[in-house]
Amino acid sequence: MTSLVQEVNALIQSNLETIIAYSNPDEGLSSLDTYSQKMEDYLDVLEEMTKVLAEGVRRLRSKQRRFESLAAEADRSARQFADEGQGKLARAAYARKQVMRQAFEAFREEADMQNERFQTLMDVRLRLEARLTEVAQERAVLQALQSAAAVGA
């Protein structure tokens, strides 16, 4: 994922004037179209990845809540058994609580990490969409200039 983010960041930071300048006047639009197509391809990949990560975060959060509920249930059972004087059952319920709590923490940590990746990709995606809009505007200006030059010639 890191290399993908780095590649997209490099693409976003490309200088439009340089892209146009290194092509001859007739190829300026073509260069921008190629650049736009590459950004759209990355946008498709980022969209798919964000969908997958969002679903993963949702699933992990659901498991997190489930194990949190199981830990709370085991805690209630441990207290009830302790109140009833059933020490052995209280210890077993407390041990179950600890295991459920560890599972809850593991799912929480994994969900947090995946959510962080999701947020990173969403940020990159938004910046890429903004850059794509900027390129479309630059293309329209370049096309207008070329049309005006063709009419004036």
Side-chain angles (χ1 to χ4, degrees):
M1 183 180 97
T2 303
S3 63
L4 175 69
V5 170
Q6 289 172 345
E7 182 75 23
V8 172
N9 281 331
L11 189 64
I12 291 169
Q13 294 170 358
S14 297
N15 186 332
L16 290 180
E17 289 74 27
T18 304
I19 292 171
I20 296 167
Y22 282 121
S23 58
N24 68 43
D26 297 332
E27 295 177 352
L29 288 175
S30 176
S31 296
L32 285 178
D33 289 343
T34 301
Y35 181 63
S36 292
Q37 184 58 52
K38 191 171 186 178
M39 287 193 300
E40 287 174 4
D41 291 344
Y42 276 115
L43 205 53
D44 290 343
V45 170
L46 288 171
E47 185 176 333
E48 186 64 30
M49 289 180 76
T50 56
K51 283 181 185 177
V52 168
L53 281 173
E55 177 61 27
V57 169
R58 186 198 62 74
R59 192 173 46 254
L60 288 167
R61 294 289 185 214
S62 176
K63 289 183 182 288
Q64 174 189 341
R65 287 187 300 274
R66 179 171 169 253
F67 281 98
E68 184 177 34
S69 174
L70 289 172
E73 181 182 317
D75 185 55
R76 285 189 299 275
S77 294
R79 279 192 242 135
Q80 181 180 355
F81 288 137
D83 290 345
E84 293 172 0
Q86 298 182 18
K88 188 174 182 179
L89 290 176
R91 285 188 298 281
Y94 181 74
R96 177 173 168 77
K97 173 191 169 187
Q98 293 304 99
V99 170
M100 296 303 117
R101 194 84 180 129
Q102 288 173 341
F104 158 75
E105 290 295 330
F107 281 114
R108 183 187 56 76
E109 288 173 15
E110 185 62 31
D112 289 348
M113 286 189 314
Q114 278 200 21
N115 190 56
E116 188 175 311
R117 286 186 216 120
F118 171 78
Q119 293 300 326
T120 298
L121 289 181
M122 285 300 294
D123 178 56
V124 169
R125 183 177 161 192
L126 289 173
R127 289 187 295 121
L128 187 59
E129 288 171 344
R131 181 62 167 180
L132 193 55
T133 300
E134 185 181 332
V135 170
Q137 291 168 345
E138 183 67 30
R139 186 187 188 288
V141 167
L142 184 59
Q143 188 172 21
L145 290 173
Q146 285 182 354
S147 296
V151 170

